[in-house]
Amino acid sequence: MASPWKTASVPGLQLGLGCGFWICRSYRLLFRAGAMGPHVVPRQLVWLSRWQAVCARGASVQHRTRAGVSRIPSLLSPGGALGASPLVRRSSSSTPPGAPEVVLTQQRYPVTRLPFSAVSAEDLAAFERILPGGVVTDPEVLEASNVDWLRTVRGCSKVLLRPRTSQEVARILRYCHERNLAVNPQGGNTGMVGGSVPVFDEIILSTTLMNRIISFHSVSGTLVCQAGCVLEELSQYVEERGFVMPLDLGAKGSCHIGGNVATNAGGLRFLRYGSLHGTVLGLEVVLADGTVLDCLTSLRKDNTGYDLKQLFIGSEGTLGVITAVSIQCPPKPRAVNVAFLGCPGFAEVLQTFSSGKELLGEILSAYEFMDAECMWLVTHHLHLASPVQESPFYVLVETSGSRAGHDAEKLSDFLERALSSGLVTDGTVATDQTRLKALWALRERISEALSRDGYVYKYDLSLPTERLYDLVSDLRARLGSQAKHVVGYGHLGDGNLHLNVTSEAFSPSLLADLEPYVYEWTARQRGSVSAEHGLGFKKRGVLSYSKPPEALRLMQQLKALLDPKGILNPYKTLPVQA
Amino acid sequence: MASPWKTASVPGLQLGLGCGFWICRSYRLLFRAGAMGPHVVPRQLVWLSRWQAVCARGASVQHRTRAGVSRIPSLLSPGGALGASPLVRRSSSSTPPGAPEVVLTQQRYPVTRLPFSAVSAEDLAAFERILPGGVVTDPEVLEASNVDWLRTVRGCSKVLLRPRTSQEVARILRYCHERNLAVNPQGGNTGMVGGSVPVFDEIILSTTLMNRIISFHSVSGTLVCQAGCVLEELSQYVEERGFVMPLDLGAKGSCHIGGNVATNAGGLRFLRYGSLHGTVLGLEVVLADGTVLDCLTSLRKDNTGYDLKQLFIGSEGTLGVITAVSIQCPPKPRAVNVAFLGCPGFAEVLQTFSSGKELLGEILSAYEFMDAECMWLVTHHLHLASPVQESPFYVLVETSGSRAGHDAEKLSDFLERALSSGLVTDGTVATDQTRLKALWALRERISEALSRDGYVYKYDLSLPTERLYDLVSDLRARLGSQAKHVVGYGHLGDGNLHLNVTSEAFSPSLLADLEPYVYEWTARQRGSVSAEHGLGFKKRGVLSYSKPPEALRLMQQLKALLDPKGILNPYKTLPVQA
């Protein structure tokens, strides 16, 4: 038999048809040729290529039907199931028609209002003097800011303030501090743990109108902007100038950069660009008493004293209100590829990751995984089509690099090894924006699909990667028919599991089987009970599963130092003190 | 005339001779061929290749003499001027024969001892109970720990403690806290600002014997170790396992990882792997009162409460004693190249950097610069030979990647553009360890060469890159013949200038011309008066040039919270309170 390397059919590729393995081989050859210079690989061809492991695994060549292949265009065409904008825009709003009213947090949860003052008519007049036209008391407008986007918690604030400058924030906080009025800082209100809405009647301090870009340095890529800039708009701004934001997440269309920093958002680029503790260069923060702390430097290195900005990254608005951010944007990669692959087991998901780290090296920019139940949810509830054959697990591998030909060659070698060794049984590759987004949507819209499945119990855990999926399997056995679905997905490259369980309606007995079981399981692995979502209101009681008493005590001391009256985002992050 | 692309002579390359430009072209061709697979480029050939810009700049082909080429082997052979181990091992020791005694800090500087207790015989007995055999009072041994490696400051401590465990550190600090005894934590004693030695009679708490690797995860590359592990030994350990430490610096042979973290060391890999605020995953810290704060997690993501470890990174031992570190090690690059280039001006240094970022992309791992006076110092005082023609500026470009062929092709394209556009006038490339180290030594040993030139006034500044060298030129004009040398070098890629001025002996009038001029100049650019060296004892008075009063006040509050008696590394980091 002739070597497939020589007989691989390029016309077959152009049709997007043919047997998978042969296409894979010719795809590889194309990529090899591409290594001689950028942009040699026709993007259409690359996209159309699909492959299977049948040849590599010793079976005979398998012909795919047209129907099988046609699933791809149905998924990816602009008019297809995904639509032109596959990503969800999270924005809270008034109660949608037919949606049940969200129960007040103070009624659903055992929480007691702390002795803050109540907002008086004099207070409103004072706010109006500080922010002429920026004081909102209309209950309908307030409704959107009182309820979280997941529609699980609800405050009863009577006033929403919309400052435009840090000086206005300072004057508001100085006033609130003197009057002992509690304040709930709010960005895009896209949080997962009820941290961004009031619990009682806290004043909502919104960064919505603080959306000005202050400066951008076109050589270094340093962006300085107000806290209320929407992440997606910042992304667009810097991408037009040859850079990218070092973070990206599903909520990008709504979330504010100030909120991202306040919650130490992780997201989809963490694997490549690391934590905000490393990429944020400077912050301007208004402290509880109205002091403006100007650490808004744009320097990559600054060892003059303690790095105060770090205190506020991830403090969820409980230590100060972030009003401006200086952040290091990396250069925009000239080539981005996404491979969406099917794996026969979780061991193969892990081995594929090791192989990716080895062969993709510095261009590996994301490694996400999802299980078969996730795929069922997005196909069933959102009518997305899977681009690959049904598999127990799926992984999304993204590469970002400066040279298309080199990247394609690395990716090709990685895919060939994954395929020939049986780690991967089916897959597809995308290089253009529309299709990249469509593949990403399969992963990013899982959360949306879950919310359509019923009541969702959400856990966001850091675990040793080799034990990460054991918890999902364990829970599936433990819960049995009590749960509709037990699913696992997330940022495998960062050891971050999103574990979600659904049931028809809220069930106290199911919850009792989940908690503290999930937290205790995580603690035994020295994992984190909140990898990237933070603690907010809902998880503040579980901090001690991941932190020792000495750490908790120091956190409480820091809170007392920076906010002695406790007016900033009360009932959040730290557990109730005994 | 035939195209040089076609007529380039490979035999010329094999001889390591011939005219520069032609060699560059053929070198490019070799790299192109190398792109088809790793290790195709013969390393000897690459190393021997040198080039000049004469052709590219329109001049006729210039033949280099054998003597000119022979400078390279004289620099690089194991028996050459650099010797087998070009890097300096910084270790303090008893007064070297003939060296002048270092004046006591309390005599040279206006500093007053704070009312701490003095160490008594009972205290020594108590320490001996905590650390049997780990209490040192021999004055000769103590001398090495009382004097900094630059031999500029000197304490008069009477006792050095060498614990082996964090529990022992906790017991020592609990005792000292109760007895109001001041403590000077000490790692490798390689600091630049007098932060690591006592000012008066503080007890020296050394991490020397806390040098145990606790764990290493061979898949994730997470290293957990005690604070006293020497950086170079850790590097070797993880490199044997396929990873690298995310930081590297000239003092690696002596410095301790705990000290690196306590001072937020920057160094040579910062451009690629970023700050320790991003790469340190967890810390174990003993607080002033002996509380052990266990935040020694190995998780990449953990948003459970405030990120306490960040407080201690860069706090120079004034907020707690770091006893163990968990750090994320990146995979070891399979290919490393270093290019050492001559540039005709600082504008060209900047443009070469821009070009490098564009063409080298994700494999650019270091971009260092030095001026002609630096080269004069290393050639004159250390007898190193310059590997390139005399130039106003030199840059060292390092690439680190996962695929030799791809990296070589990127580097070749970068070098060709730099050369043909006149940004670079001469250069050499190395790929093997010995020669890489030899080129790095030219940059890393500048500090040593300076110390042989006379009294050195040292400044470590962060500045906007486009203004970075203006200060050096400005000072050169301002100081005139008062200074022997005014030199500028450093981590250009990070905007970090090391500005050094030498004179025959210490001169108060020269100092008065330097300070506060340098600090004011830096403050006008919103720069940092300490980019990576920290403030320690010597620079603590200049913090306010880079930080506003509100930040200073909060730092002092944090110090008071964490160390209410002020026993940890007193007289360091923060200015004397009014």
Side-chain angles (χ1 to χ4, degrees), chain B residues 360-405:
Chain B
L360 299 172
E362 61 278 1
I363 65 165
L364 179 63
S365 56
Y367 191 88
E368 302 284 317
F369 92 105
M370 56 195 273
D371 63 16
E373 296 208 33
C374 290
M375 184 61 90
W376 186 88
L377 289 166
V378 294
T379 53
H380 189 80
H381 291 301
L382 307 180
H383 310 294
L384 305 187
S386 169
V388 298
Q389 280 190 318
E390 203 173 318
S391 305
F393 290 91
Y394 304 90
V395 299
L396 186 155
V397 184
E398 186 190 75
T399 68
S400 306
S402 60
R403 194 136 160 177

Side-chain angles (χ1 to χ4, degrees), chain A residues 219 264 301-304 306 318 334 357-358 362 403 406 409-410 413 462 496 528 530 532 547, chain B residues 219 264 301-304 306 318 334 357-358 403 406 409-410 413 462 496 528 530 532 547:
Chain A
V219 176
N264 189 29
K301 286 177 168 179
D302 179 18
N303 276 355
T304 53
Y306 310 146
T318 62
R334 247 169 275 149
K357 284 197 290 185
E358 183 191 339
E362 59 279 1
R403 194 136 160 178
H406 290 172
E409 197 172 338
K410 288 185 180 91
D413 288 355
S462 271
N496 185 182
S528 170
S530 182
E532 60 176 11
K547 292 286 160 66
Chain B
V219 176
N264 190 29
K301 287 176 166 179
D302 179 20
N303 276 355
T304 51
Y306 310 146
T318 63
R334 246 168 277 147
K357 283 197 290 187
E358 183 190 338
R403 194 136 160 177
H406 290 172
E409 196 172 341
K410 289 185 178 90
D413 287 356
S462 270
N496 185 183
S528 170
S530 181
E532 60 176 11
K547 292 287 161 65

